[in-house]
Amino acid sequence: MLFLLTSPFPASAVPRADSIQFQRSIVDYRSQLNPRFKKIKRQKTQYIIVHTAELGGQTTLRVVSRGKRFRSGRGTHGGHAHYVIARNGRTYRILDKQYVADHAGISMWDGNTDISRLSIGIELVGYHYAPIADAQYRSLGLLLDILQDAYGLDDRAVLTHSQVAYGFPNRWHRKNHRGRKRCAKNFNRAKAGLGSTWRYDPDVRAGRLVADRQLAAVYYSPKNFVAEAEETNVISKQNTAWVIAGEDFDSTETVYKFPDGRIYTGDQIAASVGWDRLPAKTVVLLNQESSVEQLKDDGPVKTIADGVTAWSLAGRSYNRETTIYFLPSGRIKTGSAIDDWDDLPVQTQLIIGYKGPFELRKDQSAYRIAGKGYKDPQTIYYLPSRQLVRGDHIKDFTQLQLGTLVFIPDV
Ligand SMILES: [Zn+2]
C-alpha cells in the first residue's frame, strides 16, 4: 500500500487553467531580436537548458536579443535564448522556439555535441552565486511543463548550461573538460517541479571529458549538496577564479575588484598580478562589458548602472536594513523595504552598512550627529538638492541647509 502515500498524479501535472494563464502572460519580445540573427529551424529537440544570465533584467533582455558588445568593438548577433525569466517571474519570449538559439556554445551531453542545435535555452535573470527567486521557479515550472509536453521530454532532459558546457585544454586542464561554464549551478531542480535526474555525467563516465571537481560535487554527489548557501563570487582558497568564472576567468568582461579597491579585468591579471597572487576577498564580476568605469568608484556611495546591479554592489547585504538606497525619484529606501535587487532603476545610489537618516536641525548639528567623524569620507550627507556628498567633500559646514540628512557608518 506504500504507493498510496505518494501523489497519484505525475509530478508535472499543472492545473490547465494555470498553464493557459501563464502562456498568455508571456511577453512577446521577438520584435527586439537583432535583424542580423539568422533563423534556422531546429531539426530535433532533446534537451532544455537552464542558464543564469549573470546580469540584471534590462541588460539580460538586451544582450539575449541584440547580442553581446565587446570592448574590442565586436559583438554577437543576439538570439542567445528562447525565453528569459525575470526576478519577478515575468517571462519573455525572445525567439520562436522552433529556431536554433545560440545559447550553449561548446557543449556535449551523452555524446551529443553542439547542444544549441538540439535544445531550448531559458535564461534566468540573476547570478550563479546568488539565490534564484521563488517567482522565477514558479514561472520556470510552468514553462518547463509546457515545453516538455510539446516535445515529449522527461525531467532528465532538463539540464543546466554548466552541466553540458565543456572546454578545450587550458592552463587548468590538459584534456577536454567540464567547468567551462558555471551557469545555473545554483539551480534547484525540485523547486522547479523536476523529479528524476542524472546521477552521473555520461561524458565523463565514457571518458570523453574530464570532470570538474566542484561541479561534480554540485550535481552528482550522493549527499544532497545544497549549492546556493555556499556560493559566492569572492575569491578564497577553495573559490578560485576558475571556480567562479570558468573559462571567462581571463576575459576582458570579467572584473576583479580587490579588497583595497583596485580593479582589473581578467586579461590584465596574468601580467599585472599573477593568477596565484589574487588576494583573498577579491570580488569577481562577470559580463561587465561596459561598466568597468562605474566599478572603479570605490568610495562609499555606489551607483546602479547598466550591468551593475544592487547584487553586484552589495551582494547578500542588498536587503539589509543598513543598506540604504537613494532612488532617482528622490525616495529613500532601506534594503529591507525592497522586494528584490533587480527592482531598482539605473542611477539609484546606495550606501552599505549605514544608519540614519539623522536630520540637520537648528538644535542638531553635524557634529552632534556624527561626532568627530562629521567630516570623514565615510559620513554621508544627502542634501535637499538630492545630492549625496561625503563629509570630506563639504567645504563649509555652516552652509549646509537644515533638512540635510546625515548617514553614519553602522559599526
Ligand atoms: Zn549559460
Side-chain angles (χ1 to χ4, degrees):
M1 293 301 277
L2 200 65
F3 67 92
L4 282 180
L5 295 172
T6 62
S7 165
F9 304 105
S12 61
V14 168
R16 189 150 169 74
D18 287 6
S19 182
I20 291 168
Q21 196 189 20
F22 170 76
Q23 210 150 3
R24 283 197 189 128
S25 77
I26 296 177
V27 179
D28 193 349
Y29 212 72
R30 289 177 294 180
S31 63
Q32 301 301 308
L33 198 66
N34 188 331
R36 295 171 73 186
F37 176 78
K38 230 177 114 191
K39 290 178 185 160
I40 298 167
K41 282 203 176 146
R42 205 172 43 256
Q43 302 294 319
K44 236 172 152 186
T45 307
Q46 282 176 257
Y47 307 108
I48 300 172
I49 306 300
V50 177
H51 302 254
T52 42
E54 313 303 321
L55 290 168
Q58 284 311 311
T59 323
T60 301
L61 287 170
R62 174 176 53 73
V63 168
V64 299
S65 301
R66 308 298 302 182
K68 296 176 188 169
R69 293 186 302 233
F70 301 117
R71 274 196 294 280
S72 63
R74 287 197 310 226
T76 65
H77 293 171
H80 296 305
H82 294 95
Y83 300 93
V84 166
I85 302 181
R87 303 276 307 163
N88 61 8
R90 180 160 297 164
T91 303
Y92 298 80
R93 180 178 290 110
I94 306 299
L95 172 68
D96 194 287
K97 65 180 187 300
Q98 66 177 310
Y99 299 116
V100 176
D102 176 16
H103 66 98
I106 302 158
S107 48
M108 183 191 294
W109 192 256
D110 207 10
N112 291 310
T113 54
D114 191 6
I115 298 302
S116 288
R117 112 201 116 81
L118 298 171
S119 65
I120 299 271
I122 303 172
E123 285 281 358
L124 303 176
V125 170
Y127 304 96
H128 73 69
Y129 48 81
I132 294 163
D134 289 343
Q136 290 179 297
Y137 279 118
R138 266 198 300 283
S139 293
L140 182 59
L142 291 161
L143 180 58
L144 288 175
D145 209 66
I146 291 164
L147 295 172
Q148 287 178 268
D149 217 39
Y151 293 104
L153 300 174
D154 64 16
D155 287 356
R156 280 160 58 95
V158 182
L159 299 159
T160 67
H161 192 195
S162 49
Q163 272 180 293
V164 303
Y166 78 94
F168 301 128
N170 62 11
R171 78 186 294 279
W172 310 82
H173 291 283
R174 281 182 303 165
K175 293 183 173 170
N176 287 352
H177 56 272
R178 291 293 183 207
R180 184 175 71 80
K181 286 284 172 188
R182 305 285 151 175
C183 202
K185 74 174 182 184
N186 53 346
F187 176 55
N188 184 327
R189 297 175 62 89
K191 284 193 182 178
L194 294 169
S196 61
T197 183
W198 291 79
R199 297 273 162 236
Y200 59 92
D201 181 326
D203 302 299
V204 169
R205 182 168 281 192
R208 290 181 284 264
L209 297 176
V210 174
D212 176 272
R213 244 179 66 205
Q214 210 243 5
L215 289 182
V218 169
Y219 291 116
Y220 314 113
S221 148
K223 281 180 282 174
N224 246 338
F225 188 91
V226 181
E228 48 190 35
E230 303 189 21
E231 299 310 312
T232 82
N233 60 329
V234 180
I235 294 279
S236 70
K237 242 185 199 157
Q238 291 79 30
N239 225 24
T240 61
W242 174 252
V243 167
I244 296 167
E247 72 164 354
D248 299 322
F249 75 97
D250 62 352
S251 154
T252 56
E253 321 280 303
T254 301
V255 166
Y256 292 84
K257 224 179 153 177
F258 284 22
D260 63 8
R262 278 183 296 158
I263 295 242
Y264 294 96
T265 51
D267 56 313
Q268 299 172 325
I269 295 287
S272 318
V273 187
W275 287 107
D276 316 326
R277 301 179 60 191
L278 279 181
K281 299 199 172 155
T282 294
V283 173
V284 185
L285 299 170
L286 305 177
N287 289 330
Q288 302 297 313
E289 56 181 21
S290 57
S291 39
V292 179
E293 285 312 310
Q294 279 104 326
L295 289 165
K296 268 183 184 153
D297 168 30
D298 59 348
V301 180
K302 325 270 182 206
T303 306
I304 292 173
D306 194 18
V308 183
T309 65
W311 185 278
S312 28
L313 295 166
R316 284 174 202 282
S317 303
Y318 84 88
N319 61 357
R320 294 216 177 116
E321 192 72 39
T322 53
T323 299
I324 298 162
Y325 294 92
F326 303 85
L327 280 78
S329 66
R331 292 192 63 187
I332 299 174
K333 288 184 175 182
T334 60
S336 54
I338 63 165
D339 286 333
D340 189 73
W341 52 260
D342 203 33
D343 291 338
L344 295 149
V346 166
Q347 294 306 324
T348 296
Q349 294 184 295
L350 59 139
I351 52 178
I352 302 160
Y354 275 82
K355 56 185 177 187
F358 304 97
E359 195 179 339
L360 277 190
R361 295 192 309 254
K362 268 189 181 149
D363 61 335
Q364 188 165 261
S365 66
Y367 185 80
R368 183 91 178 263
I369 292 165
K372 278 185 198 149
Y374 76 101
K375 53 184 184 210
D376 283 358
Q378 304 304 325
T379 303
I380 302 298
Y381 294 81
Y382 186 65
L383 310 183
S385 62
R386 295 185 187 171
Q387 238 187 314
L388 281 164
V389 186
R390 296 154 45 158
D392 61 331
H393 288 174
I394 292 174
K395 290 195 185 81
D396 184 354
F397 279 84
T398 64
Q399 295 297 306
L400 273 184
Q401 281 185 53
L402 297 183
T404 292
L405 302 178
V406 187
F407 296 85
I408 57 178
D410 178 48
V411 282

